Amino acid sequence: MKRFANLKRLGFFTRLLDEASPAERYRFAAEQIVRAEKAGLDSAWIAQHHFHEREGGLPSPFAFLGYVAAQTSRIRLGTGIVTLPLENAVRVAEDAAVLDLLCNGRFELGVGTGGNPSAFAAFGLDSAQRNEIFARNLEVVRAALVGKALDGGDTLYPQRPELDRRIWQATFSVAGGARAGKAGDGLLLSRTQPRSKDAPRATLAEIQNPIIDAYLAALPVGCEPRIMASRSVFVADDHAEAMRLADIGLRRALPQFMKGGHLPPGDTLEEMITAFDTHVGAADAVIASLRADATLERVTDLVFQAHSVDAPHPYILRSIELVADKVAPALGWTRTAPGVALAG
């Protein structure tokens, strides 16, 4: 029986894509995170997206996590990610510091270069310069959090230097993995990545293991690795029901999937499940599917999301329970005792 020896933490992730009004999306996502805490999960992560409701439903992650923090007490709350090039770096540091204080040190700051090119234009920025803007803004965030003087001489209030050790960087590239490792940050790996024309059938492990290699090679001596893999996971009590919902969700998500640079999948549900890197079915089938993902042998954190199946809200709540009760323990995850918060 294959178990992942390095797996320390289990999390839930949402891009807030429920088929509902904006207010209902936020309410559903909050309920899902509350359910994740009750199920014993260690963390919950939300994504930031500007403008494009089919990509993500939340432009204001700090406001939303403050709302969720008031409804939870143990689960760690993370951004996966803040699109840092589109933000004022000092404001990110201020919001992160205040949120971390309000949730008693449960906040994890995930950042990345993301964002649709048109979103950059709306903010008066050039998307071709996203990497340079990201690097500059991240340097300012770090300086502010640890209390260094900013331009003009002011320092952050409140200061939150411990947050500098809870920064995570998202990347699709080997160079990005090395950048995160050199900084001593956590590494955020995506649930799926576009395949190149040269390797259209490459597995996620074949794409992401070189990123992990670069991260570990660049990590300073004595710095503990933090490697998180997000995965598309949807579990139902009945396998046929899971596949029925997957067929609906994946076909609905296909146009947006193609816009993201992915190669066209075949017409069958099985081909779409493979193309979307989705683990779906009853618990036993999902356990077997996840065990085949060699990347997960190396991660410290596994975070699952219902995208792109995006089943109705009650099914997502049940999927959270099934992952916590049946799937994750079979992979080597151990539930934290109720009321005990994991250290950041």
PDB file of all heavy atoms in Angstrom, residues 9-13 32-44 74-76 302-304 319-325 328 333-337 340-342:
ATOM      1  N   ARG A   9       0.520  17.844   5.915  1.00  0.00           N
ATOM      2  CA  ARG A   9      -0.688  18.656   6.059  1.00  0.00           C
ATOM      3  C   ARG A   9      -1.629  18.446   4.868  1.00  0.00           C
ATOM      4  O   ARG A   9      -1.185  18.232   3.739  1.00  0.00           O
ATOM      5  CB  ARG A   9      -0.306  20.137   6.188  1.00  0.00           C
ATOM      6  CG  ARG A   9       0.426  20.474   7.493  1.00  0.00           C
ATOM      7  CD  ARG A   9       1.007  21.869   7.468  1.00  0.00           C
ATOM      8  NE  ARG A   9       2.100  21.986   6.514  1.00  0.00           N
ATOM      9  CZ  ARG A   9       3.391  21.799   6.819  1.00  0.00           C
ATOM     10  NH1 ARG A   9       3.732  21.471   8.051  1.00  0.00           N
ATOM     11  NH2 ARG A   9       4.319  21.939   5.900  1.00  0.00           N
ATOM     12  N   LEU A  10      -2.911  18.590   5.146  1.00  0.00           N
ATOM     13  CA  LEU A  10      -3.958  18.446   4.139  1.00  0.00           C
ATOM     14  C   LEU A  10      -4.792  19.724   4.119  1.00  0.00           C
ATOM     15  O   LEU A  10      -5.170  20.239   5.172  1.00  0.00           O
ATOM     16  CB  LEU A  10      -4.849  17.251   4.481  1.00  0.00           C
ATOM     17  CG  LEU A  10      -6.021  16.973   3.523  1.00  0.00           C
ATOM     18  CD1 LEU A  10      -5.507  16.462   2.177  1.00  0.00           C
ATOM     19  CD2 LEU A  10      -6.976  15.945   4.151  1.00  0.00           C
ATOM     20  N   GLY A  11      -5.071  20.207   2.919  1.00  0.00           N
ATOM     21  CA  GLY A  11      -5.823  21.448   2.814  1.00  0.00           C
ATOM     22  C   GLY A  11      -6.916  21.400   1.768  1.00  0.00           C
ATOM     23  O   GLY A  11      -6.959  20.511   0.910  1.00  0.00           O
ATOM     24  N   PHE A  12      -7.805  22.376   1.850  1.00  0.00           N
ATOM     25  CA  PHE A  12      -8.887  22.567   0.884  1.00  0.00           C
ATOM     26  C   PHE A  12      -8.652  23.893   0.183  1.00  0.00           C
ATOM     27  O   PHE A  12      -8.223  24.874   0.789  1.00  0.00           O
ATOM     28  CB  PHE A  12     -10.240  22.590   1.595  1.00  0.00           C
ATOM     29  CG  PHE A  12     -11.389  23.001   0.717  1.00  0.00           C
ATOM     30  CD1 PHE A  12     -11.877  22.143  -0.243  1.00  0.00           C
ATOM     31  CD2 PHE A  12     -11.983  24.246   0.856  1.00  0.00           C
ATOM     32  CE1 PHE A  12     -12.935  22.515  -1.068  1.00  0.00           C
ATOM     33  CE2 PHE A  12     -13.044  24.632   0.048  1.00  0.00           C
ATOM     34  CZ  PHE A  12     -13.522  23.761  -0.916  1.00  0.00           C
ATOM     35  N   PHE A  13      -8.934  23.926  -1.128  1.00  0.00           N
ATOM     36  CA  PHE A  13      -8.680  25.125  -1.929  1.00  0.00           C
ATOM     37  C   PHE A  13      -9.934  25.457  -2.734  1.00  0.00           C
ATOM     38  O   PHE A  13     -10.611  24.565  -3.245  1.00  0.00           O
ATOM     39  CB  PHE A  13      -7.518  24.863  -2.892  1.00  0.00           C
ATOM     40  CG  PHE A  13      -7.146  26.039  -3.763  1.00  0.00           C
ATOM     41  CD1 PHE A  13      -6.128  26.890  -3.375  1.00  0.00           C
ATOM     42  CD2 PHE A  13      -7.791  26.280  -4.964  1.00  0.00           C
ATOM     43  CE1 PHE A  13      -5.779  27.974  -4.177  1.00  0.00           C
ATOM     44  CE2 PHE A  13      -7.453  27.361  -5.764  1.00  0.00           C
ATOM     45  CZ  PHE A  13      -6.437  28.212  -5.373  1.00  0.00           C
ATOM     46  N   GLN A  32     -17.807  25.946   3.055  1.00  0.00           N
ATOM     47  CA  GLN A  32     -16.898  24.849   2.703  1.00  0.00           C
ATOM     48  C   GLN A  32     -15.654  24.862   3.585  1.00  0.00           C
ATOM     49  O   GLN A  32     -15.174  23.813   4.021  1.00  0.00           O
ATOM     50  CB  GLN A  32     -16.543  24.951   1.221  1.00  0.00           C
ATOM     51  CG  GLN A  32     -17.709  24.595   0.307  1.00  0.00           C
ATOM     52  CD  GLN A  32     -17.577  25.139  -1.105  1.00  0.00           C
ATOM     53  OE1 GLN A  32     -16.497  25.558  -1.526  1.00  0.00           O
ATOM     54  NE2 GLN A  32     -18.671  25.133  -1.855  1.00  0.00           N
ATOM     55  N   ILE A  33     -15.142  26.037   3.890  1.00  0.00           N
ATOM     56  CA  ILE A  33     -13.958  26.128   4.745  1.00  0.00           C
ATOM     57  C   ILE A  33     -14.301  25.745   6.182  1.00  0.00           C
ATOM     58  O   ILE A  33     -13.533  25.052   6.855  1.00  0.00           O
ATOM     59  CB  ILE A  33     -13.343  27.536   4.661  1.00  0.00           C
ATOM     60  CG1 ILE A  33     -12.775  27.773   3.251  1.00  0.00           C
ATOM     61  CG2 ILE A  33     -12.241  27.713   5.709  1.00  0.00           C
ATOM     62  CD1 ILE A  33     -12.312  29.187   2.987  1.00  0.00           C
ATOM     63  N   VAL A  34     -15.463  26.175   6.646  1.00  0.00           N
ATOM     64  CA  VAL A  34     -15.915  25.763   7.980  1.00  0.00           C
ATOM     65  C   VAL A  34     -16.059  24.246   8.043  1.00  0.00           C
ATOM     66  O   VAL A  34     -15.649  23.599   9.019  1.00  0.00           O
ATOM     67  CB  VAL A  34     -17.233  26.470   8.351  1.00  0.00           C
ATOM     68  CG1 VAL A  34     -17.842  25.852   9.612  1.00  0.00           C
ATOM     69  CG2 VAL A  34     -17.004  27.961   8.557  1.00  0.00           C
ATOM     70  N   ARG A  35     -16.629  23.647   7.001  1.00  0.00           N
ATOM     71  CA  ARG A  35     -16.746  22.186   6.955  1.00  0.00           C
ATOM     72  C   ARG A  35     -15.360  21.536   6.943  1.00  0.00           C
ATOM     73  O   ARG A  35     -15.154  20.490   7.585  1.00  0.00           O
ATOM     74  CB  ARG A  35     -17.537  21.768   5.720  1.00  0.00           C
ATOM     75  CG  ARG A  35     -17.763  20.258   5.591  1.00  0.00           C
ATOM     76  CD  ARG A  35     -18.657  19.721   6.693  1.00  0.00           C
ATOM     77  NE  ARG A  35     -19.949  20.366   6.733  1.00  0.00           N
ATOM     78  CZ  ARG A  35     -21.025  19.949   6.056  1.00  0.00           C
ATOM     79  NH1 ARG A  35     -20.958  18.851   5.317  1.00  0.00           N
ATOM     80  NH2 ARG A  35     -22.174  20.598   6.160  1.00  0.00           N
ATOM     81  N   ALA A  36     -14.415  22.135   6.224  1.00  0.00           N
ATOM     82  CA  ALA A  36     -13.054  21.597   6.196  1.00  0.00           C
ATOM     83  C   ALA A  36     -12.430  21.605   7.580  1.00  0.00           C
ATOM     84  O   ALA A  36     -11.746  20.648   7.975  1.00  0.00           O
ATOM     85  CB  ALA A  36     -12.197  22.394   5.211  1.00  0.00           C
ATOM     86  N   GLU A  37     -12.649  22.670   8.344  1.00  0.00           N
ATOM     87  CA  GLU A  37     -12.124  22.701   9.707  1.00  0.00           C
ATOM     88  C   GLU A  37     -12.769  21.616  10.566  1.00  0.00           C
ATOM     89  O   GLU A  37     -12.077  20.909  11.315  1.00  0.00           O
ATOM     90  CB  GLU A  37     -12.354  24.069  10.338  1.00  0.00           C
ATOM     91  CG  GLU A  37     -11.847  24.127  11.784  1.00  0.00           C
ATOM     92  CD  GLU A  37     -11.896  25.524  12.379  1.00  0.00           C
ATOM     93  OE1 GLU A  37     -12.964  25.930  12.861  1.00  0.00           O
ATOM     94  OE2 GLU A  37     -10.847  26.195  12.380  1.00  0.00           O
ATOM     95  N   LYS A  38     -14.083  21.460  10.464  1.00  0.00           N
ATOM     96  CA  LYS A  38     -14.770  20.429  11.239  1.00  0.00           C
ATOM     97  C   LYS A  38     -14.281  19.027  10.867  1.00  0.00           C
ATOM     98  O   LYS A  38     -14.253  18.123  11.709  1.00  0.00           O
ATOM     99  CB  LYS A  38     -16.279  20.542  11.032  1.00  0.00           C
ATOM    100  CG  LYS A  38     -16.896  21.776  11.688  1.00  0.00           C
ATOM    101  CD  LYS A  38     -18.396  21.831  11.453  1.00  0.00           C
ATOM    102  CE  LYS A  38     -19.007  23.052  12.134  1.00  0.00           C
ATOM    103  NZ  LYS A  38     -20.473  23.154  11.866  1.00  0.00           N
ATOM    104  N   ALA A  39     -13.899  18.841   9.597  1.00  0.00           N
ATOM    105  CA  ALA A  39     -13.406  17.542   9.135  1.00  0.00           C
ATOM    106  C   ALA A  39     -11.964  17.290   9.556  1.00  0.00           C
ATOM    107  O   ALA A  39     -11.447  16.191   9.341  1.00  0.00           O
ATOM    108  CB  ALA A  39     -13.526  17.453   7.614  1.00  0.00           C
ATOM    109  N   GLY A  40     -11.316  18.293  10.144  1.00  0.00           N
ATOM    110  CA  GLY A  40      -9.961  18.112  10.647  1.00  0.00           C
ATOM    111  C   GLY A  40      -8.857  18.552   9.719  1.00  0.00           C
ATOM    112  O   GLY A  40      -7.679  18.313  10.004  1.00  0.00           O
ATOM    113  N   LEU A  41      -9.205  19.194   8.605  1.00  0.00           N
ATOM    114  CA  LEU A  41      -8.170  19.630   7.673  1.00  0.00           C
ATOM    115  C   LEU A  41      -7.274  20.681   8.313  1.00  0.00           C
ATOM    116  O   LEU A  41      -7.686  21.408   9.214  1.00  0.00           O
ATOM    117  CB  LEU A  41      -8.802  20.169   6.388  1.00  0.00           C
ATOM    118  CG  LEU A  41      -9.041  19.125   5.285  1.00  0.00           C
ATOM    119  CD1 LEU A  41     -10.048  18.093   5.726  1.00  0.00           C
ATOM    120  CD2 LEU A  41      -9.486  19.803   3.999  1.00  0.00           C
ATOM    121  N   ASP A  42      -6.063  20.780   7.795  1.00  0.00           N
ATOM    122  CA  ASP A  42      -5.064  21.667   8.381  1.00  0.00           C
ATOM    123  C   ASP A  42      -5.092  23.075   7.804  1.00  0.00           C
ATOM    124  O   ASP A  42      -4.676  24.023   8.477  1.00  0.00           O
ATOM    125  CB  ASP A  42      -3.659  21.084   8.167  1.00  0.00           C
ATOM    126  CG  ASP A  42      -3.539  19.680   8.721  1.00  0.00           C
ATOM    127  OD1 ASP A  42      -3.798  19.509   9.922  1.00  0.00           O
ATOM    128  OD2 ASP A  42      -3.196  18.752   7.957  1.00  0.00           O
ATOM    129  N   SER A  43      -5.540  23.219   6.552  1.00  0.00           N
ATOM    130  CA  SER A  43      -5.486  24.535   5.927  1.00  0.00           C
ATOM    131  C   SER A  43      -6.602  24.700   4.914  1.00  0.00           C
ATOM    132  O   SER A  43      -7.186  23.722   4.431  1.00  0.00           O
ATOM    133  CB  SER A  43      -4.129  24.754   5.232  1.00  0.00           C
ATOM    134  OG  SER A  43      -3.962  23.850   4.142  1.00  0.00           O
ATOM    135  N   ALA A  44      -6.894  25.962   4.596  1.00  0.00           N
ATOM    136  CA  ALA A  44      -7.847  26.309   3.545  1.00  0.00           C
ATOM    137  C   ALA A  44      -7.260  27.479   2.758  1.00  0.00           C
ATOM    138  O   ALA A  44      -6.725  28.427   3.349  1.00  0.00           O
ATOM    139  CB  ALA A  44      -9.200  26.685   4.134  1.00  0.00           C
ATOM    140  N   ARG A  74      -9.203  27.113  14.171  1.00  0.00           N
ATOM    141  CA  ARG A  74      -8.000  26.287  14.118  1.00  0.00           C
ATOM    142  C   ARG A  74      -7.347  26.236  12.744  1.00  0.00           C
ATOM    143  O   ARG A  74      -6.133  26.293  12.613  1.00  0.00           O
ATOM    144  CB  ARG A  74      -8.342  24.850  14.550  1.00  0.00           C
ATOM    145  CG  ARG A  74      -7.154  23.893  14.578  1.00  0.00           C
ATOM    146  CD  ARG A  74      -7.594  22.442  14.688  1.00  0.00           C
ATOM    147  NE  ARG A  74      -8.448  22.026  13.583  1.00  0.00           N
ATOM    148  CZ  ARG A  74      -7.979  21.659  12.373  1.00  0.00           C
ATOM    149  NH1 ARG A  74      -6.691  21.667  12.125  1.00  0.00           N
ATOM    150  NH2 ARG A  74      -8.817  21.287  11.418  1.00  0.00           N
ATOM    151  N   ILE A  75      -8.155  26.113  11.709  1.00  0.00           N
ATOM    152  CA  ILE A  75      -7.639  25.880  10.370  1.00  0.00           C
ATOM    153  C   ILE A  75      -6.801  27.063   9.896  1.00  0.00           C
ATOM    154  O   ILE A  75      -7.129  28.219  10.153  1.00  0.00           O
ATOM    155  CB  ILE A  75      -8.813  25.594   9.405  1.00  0.00           C
ATOM    156  CG1 ILE A  75      -8.302  24.947   8.112  1.00  0.00           C
ATOM    157  CG2 ILE A  75      -9.628  26.862   9.124  1.00  0.00           C
ATOM    158  CD1 ILE A  75      -9.423  24.358   7.259  1.00  0.00           C
ATOM    159  N   ARG A  76      -5.681  26.782   9.247  1.00  0.00           N
ATOM    160  CA  ARG A  76      -4.832  27.832   8.703  1.00  0.00           C
ATOM    161  C   ARG A  76      -5.465  28.363   7.432  1.00  0.00           C
ATOM    162  O   ARG A  76      -6.092  27.622   6.661  1.00  0.00           O
ATOM    163  CB  ARG A  76      -3.417  27.307   8.447  1.00  0.00           C
ATOM    164  CG  ARG A  76      -2.768  26.722   9.712  1.00  0.00           C
ATOM    165  CD  ARG A  76      -1.261  26.574   9.571  1.00  0.00           C
ATOM    166  NE  ARG A  76      -0.618  27.893   9.496  1.00  0.00           N
ATOM    167  CZ  ARG A  76      -0.428  28.694  10.534  1.00  0.00           C
ATOM    168  NH1 ARG A  76      -0.836  28.328  11.747  1.00  0.00           N
ATOM    169  NH2 ARG A  76       0.164  29.855  10.379  1.00  0.00           N
ATOM    170  N   LEU A 302      -0.661  18.577   0.758  1.00  0.00           N
ATOM    171  CA  LEU A 302      -1.574  18.264  -0.339  1.00  0.00           C
ATOM    172  C   LEU A 302      -2.833  19.084  -0.151  1.00  0.00           C
ATOM    173  O   LEU A 302      -3.484  19.016   0.904  1.00  0.00           O
ATOM    174  CB  LEU A 302      -1.909  16.772  -0.357  1.00  0.00           C
ATOM    175  CG  LEU A 302      -3.012  16.331  -1.329  1.00  0.00           C
ATOM    176  CD1 LEU A 302      -2.635  16.664  -2.768  1.00  0.00           C
ATOM    177  CD2 LEU A 302      -3.303  14.839  -1.170  1.00  0.00           C
ATOM    178  N   VAL A 303      -3.165  19.876  -1.151  1.00  0.00           N
ATOM    179  CA  VAL A 303      -4.357  20.725  -1.097  1.00  0.00           C
ATOM    180  C   VAL A 303      -5.266  20.317  -2.246  1.00  0.00           C
ATOM    181  O   VAL A 303      -4.831  20.264  -3.394  1.00  0.00           O
ATOM    182  CB  VAL A 303      -3.977  22.212  -1.198  1.00  0.00           C
ATOM    183  CG1 VAL A 303      -5.210  23.077  -1.305  1.00  0.00           C
ATOM    184  CG2 VAL A 303      -3.145  22.641   0.010  1.00  0.00           C
ATOM    185  N   PHE A 304      -6.505  20.008  -1.956  1.00  0.00           N
ATOM    186  CA  PHE A 304      -7.415  19.547  -3.001  1.00  0.00           C
ATOM    187  C   PHE A 304      -8.499  20.579  -3.265  1.00  0.00           C
ATOM    188  O   PHE A 304      -8.916  21.332  -2.394  1.00  0.00           O
ATOM    189  CB  PHE A 304      -8.040  18.199  -2.610  1.00  0.00           C
ATOM    190  CG  PHE A 304      -8.928  18.238  -1.401  1.00  0.00           C
ATOM    191  CD1 PHE A 304     -10.296  18.420  -1.541  1.00  0.00           C
ATOM    192  CD2 PHE A 304      -8.404  18.087  -0.124  1.00  0.00           C
ATOM    193  CE1 PHE A 304     -11.129  18.459  -0.430  1.00  0.00           C
ATOM    194  CE2 PHE A 304      -9.224  18.115   0.993  1.00  0.00           C
ATOM    195  CZ  PHE A 304     -10.588  18.304   0.841  1.00  0.00           C
ATOM    196  N   SER A 319     -17.802  15.895  -0.414  1.00  0.00           N
ATOM    197  CA  SER A 319     -16.481  15.515  -0.912  1.00  0.00           C
ATOM    198  C   SER A 319     -15.398  15.859   0.099  1.00  0.00           C
ATOM    199  O   SER A 319     -14.454  15.087   0.306  1.00  0.00           O
ATOM    200  CB  SER A 319     -16.198  16.214  -2.251  1.00  0.00           C
ATOM    201  OG  SER A 319     -14.938  15.841  -2.768  1.00  0.00           O
ATOM    202  N   ILE A 320     -15.517  17.005   0.752  1.00  0.00           N
ATOM    203  CA  ILE A 320     -14.552  17.396   1.791  1.00  0.00           C
ATOM    204  C   ILE A 320     -14.516  16.343   2.892  1.00  0.00           C
ATOM    205  O   ILE A 320     -13.440  15.920   3.341  1.00  0.00           O
ATOM    206  CB  ILE A 320     -14.920  18.785   2.360  1.00  0.00           C
ATOM    207  CG1 ILE A 320     -14.689  19.872   1.312  1.00  0.00           C
ATOM    208  CG2 ILE A 320     -14.113  19.078   3.632  1.00  0.00           C
ATOM    209  CD1 ILE A 320     -15.275  21.223   1.685  1.00  0.00           C
ATOM    210  N   GLU A 321     -15.681  15.903   3.318  1.00  0.00           N
ATOM    211  CA  GLU A 321     -15.753  14.894   4.373  1.00  0.00           C
ATOM    212  C   GLU A 321     -15.123  13.571   3.931  1.00  0.00           C
ATOM    213  O   GLU A 321     -14.379  12.934   4.691  1.00  0.00           O
ATOM    214  CB  GLU A 321     -17.210  14.667   4.770  1.00  0.00           C
ATOM    215  CG  GLU A 321     -17.871  15.859   5.426  1.00  0.00           C
ATOM    216  CD  GLU A 321     -19.360  15.648   5.641  1.00  0.00           C
ATOM    217  OE1 GLU A 321     -19.923  14.728   5.006  1.00  0.00           O
ATOM    218  OE2 GLU A 321     -19.962  16.399   6.434  1.00  0.00           O
ATOM    219  N   LEU A 322     -15.400  13.159   2.699  1.00  0.00           N
ATOM    220  CA  LEU A 322     -14.888  11.880   2.211  1.00  0.00           C
ATOM    221  C   LEU A 322     -13.368  11.910   2.033  1.00  0.00           C
ATOM    222  O   LEU A 322     -12.685  10.919   2.297  1.00  0.00           O
ATOM    223  CB  LEU A 322     -15.577  11.511   0.898  1.00  0.00           C
ATOM    224  CG  LEU A 322     -17.051  11.119   1.020  1.00  0.00           C
ATOM    225  CD1 LEU A 322     -17.701  11.039  -0.354  1.00  0.00           C
ATOM    226  CD2 LEU A 322     -17.190   9.788   1.757  1.00  0.00           C
ATOM    227  N   VAL A 323     -12.842  13.042   1.584  1.00  0.00           N
ATOM    228  CA  VAL A 323     -11.384  13.168   1.470  1.00  0.00           C
ATOM    229  C   VAL A 323     -10.743  13.035   2.843  1.00  0.00           C
ATOM    230  O   VAL A 323      -9.751  12.317   3.029  1.00  0.00           O
ATOM    231  CB  VAL A 323     -10.988  14.502   0.807  1.00  0.00           C
ATOM    232  CG1 VAL A 323      -9.482  14.718   0.912  1.00  0.00           C
ATOM    233  CG2 VAL A 323     -11.407  14.526  -0.658  1.00  0.00           C
ATOM    234  N   ALA A 324     -11.312  13.726   3.834  1.00  0.00           N
ATOM    235  CA  ALA A 324     -10.744  13.702   5.182  1.00  0.00           C
ATOM    236  C   ALA A 324     -10.897  12.341   5.856  1.00  0.00           C
ATOM    237  O   ALA A 324      -9.988  11.886   6.559  1.00  0.00           O
ATOM    238  CB  ALA A 324     -11.398  14.784   6.040  1.00  0.00           C
ATOM    239  N   ASP A 325     -12.028  11.678   5.628  1.00  0.00           N
ATOM    240  CA  ASP A 325     -12.317  10.425   6.345  1.00  0.00           C
ATOM    241  C   ASP A 325     -11.725   9.194   5.670  1.00  0.00           C
ATOM    242  O   ASP A 325     -11.307   8.244   6.357  1.00  0.00           O
ATOM    243  CB  ASP A 325     -13.829  10.234   6.475  1.00  0.00           C
ATOM    244  CG  ASP A 325     -14.470  11.239   7.415  1.00  0.00           C
ATOM    245  OD1 ASP A 325     -13.738  11.857   8.210  1.00  0.00           O
ATOM    246  OD2 ASP A 325     -15.702  11.422   7.332  1.00  0.00           O
ATOM    247  N   ALA A 328      -7.497  10.788   2.297  1.00  0.00           N
ATOM    248  CA  ALA A 328      -6.212  11.277   2.809  1.00  0.00           C
ATOM    249  C   ALA A 328      -5.556  10.339   3.816  1.00  0.00           C
ATOM    250  O   ALA A 328      -4.331  10.149   3.774  1.00  0.00           O
ATOM    251  CB  ALA A 328      -6.376  12.672   3.398  1.00  0.00           C
ATOM    252  N   TRP A 333      -1.817  10.814   5.530  1.00  0.00           N
ATOM    253  CA  TRP A 333      -2.138  11.997   6.332  1.00  0.00           C
ATOM    254  C   TRP A 333      -2.750  11.583   7.657  1.00  0.00           C
ATOM    255  O   TRP A 333      -3.563  10.661   7.730  1.00  0.00           O
ATOM    256  CB  TRP A 333      -3.121  12.889   5.579  1.00  0.00           C
ATOM    257  CG  TRP A 333      -3.648  14.038   6.392  1.00  0.00           C
ATOM    258  CD1 TRP A 333      -2.968  15.143   6.806  1.00  0.00           C
ATOM    259  CD2 TRP A 333      -4.991  14.202   6.877  1.00  0.00           C
ATOM    260  NE1 TRP A 333      -3.796  15.980   7.529  1.00  0.00           N
ATOM    261  CE2 TRP A 333      -5.033  15.428   7.585  1.00  0.00           C
ATOM    262  CE3 TRP A 333      -6.153  13.430   6.790  1.00  0.00           C
ATOM    263  CZ2 TRP A 333      -6.194  15.899   8.188  1.00  0.00           C
ATOM    264  CZ3 TRP A 333      -7.317  13.893   7.395  1.00  0.00           C
ATOM    265  CH2 TRP A 333      -7.339  15.123   8.096  1.00  0.00           C
ATOM    266  N   THR A 334      -2.354  12.296   8.718  1.00  0.00           N
ATOM    267  CA  THR A 334      -2.902  12.069  10.051  1.00  0.00           C
ATOM    268  C   THR A 334      -3.660  13.305  10.501  1.00  0.00           C
ATOM    269  O   THR A 334      -3.113  14.410  10.506  1.00  0.00           O
ATOM    270  CB  THR A 334      -1.788  11.771  11.077  1.00  0.00           C
ATOM    271  OG1 THR A 334      -1.062  10.609  10.627  1.00  0.00           O
ATOM    272  CG2 THR A 334      -2.368  11.491  12.443  1.00  0.00           C
ATOM    273  N   ARG A 335      -4.914  13.127  10.882  1.00  0.00           N
ATOM    274  CA  ARG A 335      -5.745  14.240  11.309  1.00  0.00           C
ATOM    275  C   ARG A 335      -5.227  14.840  12.608  1.00  0.00           C
ATOM    276  O   ARG A 335      -4.878  14.138  13.540  1.00  0.00           O
ATOM    277  CB  ARG A 335      -7.190  13.759  11.498  1.00  0.00           C
ATOM    278  CG  ARG A 335      -8.160  14.851  11.911  1.00  0.00           C
ATOM    279  CD  ARG A 335      -9.552  14.298  12.164  1.00  0.00           C
ATOM    280  NE  ARG A 335     -10.328  14.143  10.923  1.00  0.00           N
ATOM    281  CZ  ARG A 335     -10.561  12.997  10.309  1.00  0.00           C
ATOM    282  NH1 ARG A 335     -10.065  11.866  10.815  1.00  0.00           N
ATOM    283  NH2 ARG A 335     -11.281  12.954   9.224  1.00  0.00           N
ATOM    284  N   THR A 336      -5.169  16.177  12.634  1.00  0.00           N
ATOM    285  CA  THR A 336      -4.791  16.888  13.847  1.00  0.00           C
ATOM    286  C   THR A 336      -5.929  16.822  14.855  1.00  0.00           C
ATOM    287  O   THR A 336      -7.107  16.872  14.479  1.00  0.00           O
ATOM    288  CB  THR A 336      -4.470  18.360  13.527  1.00  0.00           C
ATOM    289  OG1 THR A 336      -3.442  18.395  12.524  1.00  0.00           O
ATOM    290  CG2 THR A 336      -3.984  19.105  14.756  1.00  0.00           C
ATOM    291  N   ALA A 337      -5.594  16.715  16.103  1.00  0.00           N
ATOM    292  CA  ALA A 337      -6.624  16.671  17.150  1.00  0.00           C
ATOM    293  C   ALA A 337      -7.465  17.923  17.100  1.00  0.00           C
ATOM    294  O   ALA A 337      -6.954  19.024  16.857  1.00  0.00           O
ATOM    295  CB  ALA A 337      -5.968  16.520  18.528  1.00  0.00           C
ATOM    296  N   VAL A 340      -6.536  21.891  17.968  1.00  0.00           N
ATOM    297  CA  VAL A 340      -5.093  22.097  17.940  1.00  0.00           C
ATOM    298  C   VAL A 340      -4.705  22.727  16.616  1.00  0.00           C
ATOM    299  O   VAL A 340      -4.931  22.152  15.561  1.00  0.00           O
ATOM    300  CB  VAL A 340      -4.320  20.752  18.115  1.00  0.00           C
ATOM    301  CG1 VAL A 340      -2.828  20.988  18.017  1.00  0.00           C
ATOM    302  CG2 VAL A 340      -4.691  20.131  19.447  1.00  0.00           C
ATOM    303  N   ALA A 341      -4.138  23.911  16.649  1.00  0.00           N
ATOM    304  CA  ALA A 341      -3.707  24.597  15.435  1.00  0.00           C
ATOM    305  C   ALA A 341      -2.276  24.235  15.110  1.00  0.00           C
ATOM    306  O   ALA A 341      -1.420  24.232  15.989  1.00  0.00           O
ATOM    307  CB  ALA A 341      -3.848  26.105  15.599  1.00  0.00           C
ATOM    308  N   LEU A 342      -2.017  23.935  13.832  1.00  0.00           N
ATOM    309  CA  LEU A 342      -0.649  23.639  13.414  1.00  0.00           C
ATOM    310  C   LEU A 342       0.157  24.929  13.380  1.00  0.00           C
ATOM    311  O   LEU A 342      -0.321  25.976  12.966  1.00  0.00           O
ATOM    312  CB  LEU A 342      -0.639  23.019  12.012  1.00  0.00           C
ATOM    313  CG  LEU A 342      -1.009  21.543  11.925  1.00  0.00           C
ATOM    314  CD1 LEU A 342      -0.962  21.099  10.476  1.00  0.00           C
ATOM    315  CD2 LEU A 342      -0.052  20.693  12.742  1.00  0.00           C
TER     316      LEU A 342
END
